[in-house]
Amino acid sequence: MYSEKVMDHFMNPRNVGEIEDADGVGQVGNAKCGDIMKMYLKIENNVIVDVKFRTFGCGAAIATSSIATEMIKGKTVEEALKLTNKSVVEALDGLPPAKLHCSILAEEAVVAAIEDYKRRHGHEIEDAQQCPGCCGKCGSSRDE
Amino acid sequence: MNKNIIYVDHAATTYVKPEVFEEMRPYFTDLFGNPSSIYSLGRESKKAIENARSQIAYCLGVHPTEIYFTGSGTEADNWAIKGAAYANRKKGKHLITSSIEHHAVLHCFQFLEKEGFEVTYLPVNEEGLINPDDLAKAIRPDTTLISIMFANNEIGTIQPIKELAAIAKEKGVIFHTDAVQAMGNIDIKAKDLNIDLLSMSAHKFYGPKGVGALYIRKGVRIDNFVHGGAQERNKRAGTENVAGVVGMAAALKLAYENLEEYNRHLRKLSDRFINSVMERIPYVRLNGNREKRLPGNVNLSFRFVEGESLLLMLDMKGIQASSGSACTSGSLDPSHVLLAIGLSHEIAHGSLRISFGERNTEEEVDYIVDNLVEIVGKLRQMSPLYEDFIKKGGQ
């Protein structure tokens, strides 16, 4: 059901762990839904120089977190904010329809971590989407 | 079986025992006659079916004319529940079941609710057991059917069926039990237990897939479900699955002959597994009752990890297990059974079901535990829930 790329990132996840003196930390999802992603960013001169994650969730949740960290590492904050769930899915050679919400969570985890960074550094926070839990809007509502 | 695969999902399905397959074989290639045909080839098939019926009836302690073959356990459940509800709807429209039934039962009742029936779903305690007093209190003058599973497919809990059926009998209500998981594990004598309707499925006890049976006690009237020809004494139409029926009877006969030894073997493996996991992995709970459970069933919840990740990593090590019911693996909801016994969503998401079978060995148990220690450790290191837990001092 999963692509080889997903299985690779699931079995050998990149950038697992935490950054103790992180500049931004974001956590999205909730345990009720079965997915929580937490992302740590180290940012220097507006560039993401290090990123780590911890994820509670299914294979797709772990794989999307892993690839998202790879995709934003070395990028500027503005570039990282352009990461879309679609590009995460493409980079993984696709996800089963029931697992697409995991890619949205990954996008939201990046946004949440950058928002935290901006807040800490006195930047204005733009309107950004954030997952407060299962709203059902990402097409993966589990309350059906 | 592939040497590199350790199969511990016998509650999902079993392989067909070679000796069972040998008994089935002639009915595919040589003795292929339609049992309804009157020439010798047809009569041969008819004879095979009636022999199978007698064998199954003997195991259950009932009369052969009380056994009806179906295409699956699910069909037997559908027939029993809808058939009994509709046949008695003039008498009443209240039905009783439990909150931890298999979907083959649960979804029948949900369908009947849409058809105007009223259903009471009995709760279970934290071990998945139904309190007989709850059943007695739920029965009303217009109650026509009670359906309680013999043993649960996810957590293995065995219900006090004798007590429950006795209550039903006293109140004159039809009692159905979904014995799909229990058959082949427990010496079920339907008549002695006052069961009116009982469903079974061959592929759970080393028989073939695609064949089941419904026991209908003499005198119990239920509506037909599959309409057509005159097969199964006009009660279940469709040309019989002769090889399947032969295989089911052969498998059940073997199961009843080896019941004690099989139970001992499975219990030994389960105990070794449970004790070893509890000793080596912290923050684990055993779901279900330690004693009143199917001998090969182990259902554990590992805190801070998610079940699908666990299954995928076990699969990479050749270990084939399940998280909750195999039927629910397509959905993302945690199992209704684990929620019904009071687990939080978070804990329910981290469940693992291991169901041992005849060919499993103690070496395999040890191999699974060794890998579980490593995998659960790895997933916890990745889990933000575990991180929070440790930072809060492990409270």
Side-chain angles (χ1 to χ4, degrees), chain B residues 34-315:
Chain B
N34 188 322
S36 300
S37 303
I38 58 162
Y39 40 75
S40 63
L41 210 50
R43 293 200 302 274
E44 200 72 49
S45 291
K46 181 83 181 158
K47 205 169 77 188
I49 288 177
E50 294 316 317
N51 276 342
R53 202 187 307 281
S54 296
Q55 275 179 19
I56 291 168
Y58 177 78
C59 290
L60 274 179
V62 303
H63 196 269
T65 56
E66 296 173 307
I67 299 292
Y68 296 86
F69 295 118
T70 66
S72 63
T74 293
E75 187 198 320
D77 283 336
N78 270 262
W79 182 13
I81 294 163
K82 294 174 191 169
Y86 282 117
N88 295 287
R89 78 187 130 169
K90 288 207 177 90
K91 229 163 86 186
K93 294 188 108 177
H94 180 241
L95 318 165
I96 300 171
T97 187
S98 86
S99 50
I100 61 162
E101 298 295 314
H102 189 276
H103 285 152
V105 168
L106 224 41
H107 290 175
C108 286
F109 282 106
Q110 285 166 9
F111 166 81
L112 288 168
E113 280 180 304
K114 286 189 196 135
E115 294 284 296
F117 287 87
E118 204 185 320
V119 181
T120 299
Y121 298 89
L122 296 177
V124 292
N125 70 9
E126 67 281 1
E127 294 182 326
L129 284 163
I130 289 162
N131 182 348
D133 291 342
D134 287 345
L135 174 63
K137 279 182 217 145
I139 297 172
R140 314 188 316 208
D142 61 339
T143 307
T144 58
L145 171 70
I146 297 163
S147 177
I148 306 285
M149 70 200 319
F150 211 110
N152 184 266
N153 48 307
E154 294 188 40
I155 56 174
T157 303
I158 299 168
Q159 299 299 339
I161 290 296
K162 193 172 184 174
E163 267 180 274
L164 299 171
I167 293 167
K169 191 186 177 188
E170 194 196 312
K171 304 271 183 157
V173 182
I174 296 174
F175 188 84
H176 166 251
T177 187
D178 171 0
V180 166
Q181 289 290 330
M183 287 300 279
N185 285 296
I186 301 169
D187 184 9
I188 299 175
K189 293 281 178 267
K191 194 134 287 170
D192 298 348
L193 292 170
N194 289 313
I195 293 165
D196 295 311
L197 301 163
L198 177 146
S199 318
M200 69 174 89
S201 177
H203 76 104
K204 305 290 190 187
F205 48 82
Y206 307 94
K209 293 168 186 59
V211 58
L214 181 65
Y215 156 70
I216 307 177
R217 189 175 62 77
K218 194 177 171 219
V220 173
R221 284 215 169 68
I222 67 171
D223 280 3
N224 286 359
F225 186 61
V226 178
H227 301 97
Q231 292 90 351
E232 298 298 285
R233 292 187 305 289
N234 269 320
K235 281 187 180 289
R236 197 277 188 181
T239 298
E240 299 86 338
N241 175 0
V242 184
V245 160
V246 167
M248 176 157 70
L252 194 63
K253 186 164 168 269
L254 279 176
Y256 268 73
E257 281 167 7
N258 300 313
L259 219 46
E260 266 184 50
E261 200 187 321
Y262 186 58
N263 265 263
R264 242 195 327 270
H265 174 64
L266 295 187
R267 184 63 78 169
K268 194 172 73 181
L269 297 178
S270 302
D271 283 345
R272 186 183 182 91
F273 182 74
I274 294 169
N275 293 337
S276 184
V277 167
M278 294 295 181
E279 201 184 293
R280 295 178 61 188
I281 305 179
Y283 319 120
V284 181
R285 64 163 277 160
L286 175 71
N287 298 317
N289 183 290
R290 180 80 200 241
E291 299 307 321
K292 290 173 194 156
R293 73 185 307 134
L294 292 173
N297 172 290
V298 181
N299 190 307
L300 300 166
S301 281
F302 296 89
R303 280 182 71 188
F304 320 116
V305 306
E306 192 277 333
E308 192 210 81
S309 296
L310 203 54
L311 288 191
L312 286 173
M313 289 202 175
L314 286 169
D315 183 29

